[in-house]
Amino acid sequence: MKEMLMELKRIDGDFSVCKPEDFSQVNFHAAYCFTGKTDEENSLVCLTEDVPENVTEREDGWKGFRIQGVLDFSLVGILAGISKILAENEIGIFALSTYNTDYIFTKQADYEKALKVLGEAGYYVV
């Protein structure tokens, strides 16, 4: 019997990765709203239904899951372990980290396969 590594929680809904002109139309009260800003771009990951009108580029068709629980900053290799398994199965990812945990997104066509191979590797998918 395989050792359970971690619990992964499916997230309902379809996600989009976008480049908004600015953040004035972003719904920061939405259930999921990941923003990033650099000297070169503004980025937004949100549910497709929450994409603002002022995006200049977007890619729809992403599904996500998160690592359940609060991850201590001293933990090493959690995201690397997941991404290695998915890479070995030719599944690309888009990963985001928050203060508490990590979120992993795959294209819709790869989502079920990703969760299946992670489950086979010992992750518990809920």
Side-chain angles (χ1 to χ4, degrees):
M1 180 177 213
K2 295 180 182 173
E3 177 184 347
M4 288 297 174
L5 301 174
M6 295 204 144
E7 185 174 287
L8 307 175
K9 168 91 168 114
R10 293 172 177 263
I11 300 173
D12 291 333
D14 297 329
F15 285 83
S16 296
V17 180
C18 316
K19 291 173 91 173
E21 292 175 4
D22 57 47
F23 296 113
S24 63
Q25 295 180 14
V26 174
N27 179 1
F28 288 101
H29 298 288
Y32 298 96
C33 176
F34 302 93
T35 60
K37 180 173 178 24
T38 70
D39 62 336
E40 295 182 343
E41 69 174 307
N42 297 323
S43 289
L44 169 67
V45 178
C46 63
L47 289 169
T48 300
E49 63 198 47
D50 295 327
V51 172
E53 291 182 21
N54 68 340
V55 298
T56 58
E57 293 180 50
R58 69 188 275 176
E59 185 170 326
D60 299 330
W62 294 89
K63 300 288 284 180
F65 59 91
R66 73 170 160 245
I67 300 169
Q68 284 292 83
V70 176
L71 303 179
D72 187 278
F73 286 116
S74 66
L75 297 174
V76 176
I78 294 169
L79 191 55
I82 291 172
S83 63
K84 180 179 186 286
I85 293 165
L86 296 177
E88 288 170 349
N89 286 275
E90 300 182 358
I91 299 171
I93 67 167
F94 186 93
L96 291 167
S97 297
T98 64
Y99 190 89
N100 285 344
T101 194
D102 296 319
Y103 290 76
I104 295 91
F105 298 89
T106 69
K107 292 302 283 183
Q108 288 175 342
D110 294 326
Y111 187 66
E112 292 302 326
K113 179 182 176 185
L115 293 174
K116 180 179 184 276
V117 298
L118 289 167
E120 290 169 353
Y123 291 87
Y124 181 63
V125 181
V126 296

